[in-house]
Amino acid sequence: MRPLRSLFAALALFSLATPAFARHPEVAASIPSAQQVGAGRYSLLSIPLFQAELWTSSGAFSWERPFALSLIYERSIRANSLVNRTISEMRQRGAGSEASLQPLRAPLTACFADVQNGDRITGVSTGANTARFYLNGAQRCEIEWPNFRRHFFGIWLDARGGQAALSAQLRGES
């Protein structure tokens, strides 16, 4: 009985010392006072692809302030597929034509790698036109592109997108 009581006591102390939402190292380094705004899962045809988490310094989302978006993958996906889907989604959101977005392909290719189950890509929006990207906590690149914050991060955060429910969860609205 005594070992069981000790185990419960240790678990209780551990749960008090551990934040409900542990910040990833790259989030903590980029936004020291980061608080999780929301989280959700993205599935395609009932197949879970990734978990998403949105972090800000205030715990509230605004397009006007820096934020971090982490995607924790639940499937293996090739980097080329990530880049192609990103360009397609940005084009659909009015970022430009396929031809005008072609110069963005090389920087995105430098940012994204093939991902496996459990890998985490975090994008930190540092300004309206800039973002840094991390893979499992290691910085891979920095991108500067006109209105990148809205066009790229809008893929997940824009209420008008095809994943309105996920967007609302991330923005803490549901």
Side-chain angles (χ1 to χ4, degrees):
M1 186 71 156
R2 187 176 199 97
L4 192 56
R5 227 181 261 173
S6 297
L7 176 64
F8 284 131
L11 288 173
L13 285 173
F14 180 74
S15 68
L16 292 174
T18 304
F21 301 105
R23 292 180 293 164
H24 307 298
E26 67 276 18
V27 172
S30 300
I31 306 172
S33 61
Q35 300 173 45
Q36 190 177 68
V37 177
R41 172 180 269 152
Y42 177 77
S43 298
L44 184 62
L45 302 173
S46 299
I47 300 170
L49 296 180
F50 58 79
Q51 292 279 343
E53 303 169 348
L54 180 64
W55 302 85
T56 68
S57 62
S58 67
F61 174 70
S62 168
W63 284 110
E64 308 308 316
R65 292 189 304 271
F67 56 82
L69 179 69
S70 294
L71 304 180
I72 301 99
Y73 287 87
E74 299 181 24
R75 295 264 183 251
S76 297
I77 302 175
R78 305 277 310 188
N80 193 42
S81 295
L82 296 173
V83 171
N84 290 338
R85 180 66 185 246
T86 298
I87 296 286
S88 174
E89 292 283 343
M90 288 179 69
R91 185 181 50 75
Q92 291 173 22
R93 284 171 173 64
S97 67
E98 183 78 28
S100 69
L101 291 171
Q102 281 308 306
L104 186 56
R105 187 171 289 282
L108 287 173
T109 300
C111 290
F112 301 150
D114 294 346
V115 293
Q116 309 298 317
N117 183 18
D119 283 343
R120 180 182 69 253
I121 293 178
T122 299
V124 178
S125 176
T126 56
N129 303 322
T130 56
R132 285 189 309 270
F133 289 89
Y134 300 81
L135 175 63
N136 298 325
Q139 185 173 339
R140 289 194 48 96
C141 70
E142 190 161 341
I143 288 185
E144 185 169 346
W145 189 264
N147 210 14
F148 190 75
R149 176 180 280 166
R150 289 273 187 162
H151 290 139
F152 177 82
F153 291 100
I155 294 170
W156 299 273
L157 300 174
D158 190 337
R160 301 167 296 158
Q163 296 297 320
L166 174 63
S167 296
Q169 286 177 320
L170 289 171
R171 292 189 317 271
E173 297 172 2
S174 66

